[in-house]
Amino acid sequence: MFSTRLRADLALGFNAFVWGTTFVVVKDALADSSVYVYLALRFGLAAIILATVFHRSLRELDKKSFWAGAQIGLFMLGGYVFQTAGLQYTTPSKAAFITGCSVVLVPLLLALFGKPINAWIWSGAAAALLGLYFLTVPAEGFAALNKGDVLVFLCAVMFAFQLILIGRHVEHHSIGALAFLQVAVTGVFSALLVPIFAATHIDPPRLAWTKIFIFALLVTSIGSTVIGFYFQVWAQKHTTSSHAAILLTLEPVFAALTSWLVAHERLGPRALFGATLILSGILLAELKGATPVTPGSPEPSVYSAQEQ
């Protein structure tokens, strides 16, 4: 009924919608759970499902593959820790736009290691960083900066390093194994951090099995990670990078719309201008800069950096 190309575009559009709406879902879940308890349950469940799906790949795991997956997983852990912690203090739409900056941070970080980047990437990065300033820094100045926005920006930095490591390892190791390992490492270390942060009273563990929390757990672990992972893998085999980039850039837009409808969040003119600049910068870097097609979402995929 529909062409393969159209179905691929619809799959990517669905991913952008699911990944965008999860920002609101996660923020609601944190009302019933502490950060590390939520992360441990979310990625523990996702790891079990991925282990079932990729059980054949896991049989061939060696030390090099394990080390590669562990490296990627540690940065993924850092990204989700900062993002989830930041969502306690900032709004879902702002968190989504800030996380999206990981796309333009990838080539900038690679430039530090001597990789040349073109003028389009510099332009996209400049637009995104300027937008980040208007989105996060109030008119009163840096003294009024929301600490949640700072935490989410650190999340974007972690995700950028994660994508760089994926690009380095994905051609040499099983993609299924890397997918499982990064998710499993995030889940295991989140669980290990629960008693540590409980002892320091920084993040006392708490959990209430409410309908909202269970819904959030299922949506983020199964919907965002497992289903979204498959959709993106399949879709990017049947559509162009430019189509993928445009569709995945809708993610923070869906996050803003969901936050507006559910949480009645309103972005003021200054923040809205900043969000527009960030989107423009991401599109410039993705479409003109020959950067990897990467979602600026809570679910950076193993396949995101394949074109790197």
Side-chain angles (χ1 to χ4, degrees):
M1 184 176 181
F2 297 110
S3 68
T4 302
R5 173 70 173 270
L6 178 58
R7 284 187 285 123
D9 288 346
L10 289 173
L12 288 171
F14 174 81
N15 276 9
F17 171 76
V18 171
W19 289 334
T21 56
T22 54
F23 283 91
V24 175
V25 171
V26 171
K27 188 172 181 67
D28 288 343
L30 293 176
D32 300 313
S33 172
S34 54
V35 171
Y36 295 99
V37 169
Y38 164 74
L39 290 176
L41 291 171
R42 171 181 175 176
F43 289 100
L45 177 58
I48 292 171
I49 297 172
L50 287 172
T52 303
V53 173
F54 293 115
H55 63 278
R56 292 183 180 178
S57 298
L58 300 183
R59 292 174 186 171
E60 303 171 1
L61 270 179
D62 55 24
K63 290 182 179 179
K64 290 184 178 179
S65 296
F66 185 84
W67 175 234
Q71 291 177 65
I72 296 168
L74 287 174
F75 279 102
M76 181 178 179
L77 170 68
Y80 279 107
V81 165
F82 284 125
Q83 184 185 75
T84 309
L87 274 168
Q88 295 179 107
Y89 309 105
T90 191
T91 62
S93 60
K94 289 178 72 177
F97 283 109
I98 296 169
T99 303
C101 290
S102 62
V103 171
V104 293
L105 288 175
V106 169
L108 293 182
L109 291 171
L110 288 172
L112 295 177
F113 297 97
K115 182 174 181 178
I117 59 176
N118 62 37
W120 287 110
I121 294 179
W122 283 116
S123 300
L129 293 176
L130 182 62
L132 185 65
Y133 172 82
F134 282 105
L135 179 68
T136 61
V137 180
E140 295 83 2
F142 285 97
L145 190 64
N146 185 320
K147 67 178 180 180
D149 294 339
V150 176
L151 290 171
V152 177
F153 178 73
L154 293 175
C155 141
V157 175
M158 292 293 104
F159 281 158
F161 277 113
Q162 180 206 11
L163 293 171
I164 290 171
L165 286 172
I166 289 171
R168 179 180 298 174
H169 294 301
V170 73
E171 294 181 2
H172 309 291
H173 304 281
S174 163
I175 292 173
L178 291 181
F180 164 76
L181 285 169
Q182 67 172 345
V183 172
V185 166
T186 301
V188 169
F189 276 90
S190 294
L192 292 175
L193 288 171
V194 170
I196 295 174
F197 280 86
T200 57
H201 304 289
I202 294 176
D203 186 40
R206 55 185 176 83
L207 176 62
W209 288 99
T210 64
K211 292 181 180 179
I212 292 176
F213 179 80
I214 294 172
F215 173 76
L217 182 64
L218 294 176
V219 167
T220 54
S221 60
I222 299 174
S224 298
T225 304
V226 179
I227 296 176
F229 173 82
Y230 269 119
F231 273 23
Q232 188 186 16
V233 172
W234 177 82
Q236 286 192 224
K237 292 180 180 179
H238 300 288
T239 192
T240 64
S241 294
S242 59
H243 267 239
I246 292 171
L247 290 167
L248 292 176
T249 303
L250 291 173
E251 181 184 333
V253 176
F254 282 126
L257 288 174
T258 306
S259 189
W260 174 65
L261 290 171
V262 176
H264 307 293
E265 178 192 353
R266 300 289 188 275
L267 287 177
R270 180 185 178 89
L272 192 60
F273 176 64
T276 303
L277 282 176
I278 289 174
L279 279 179
S280 301
I282 292 171
L283 283 172
L284 275 176
E286 289 278 18
L287 300 181
K288 296 293 186 179
T291 59
V293 178
T294 54
S297 75
E299 302 297 337
S301 165
V302 183
Y303 292 83
S304 299
Q306 272 189 304
E307 298 176 14
Q308 195 160 274

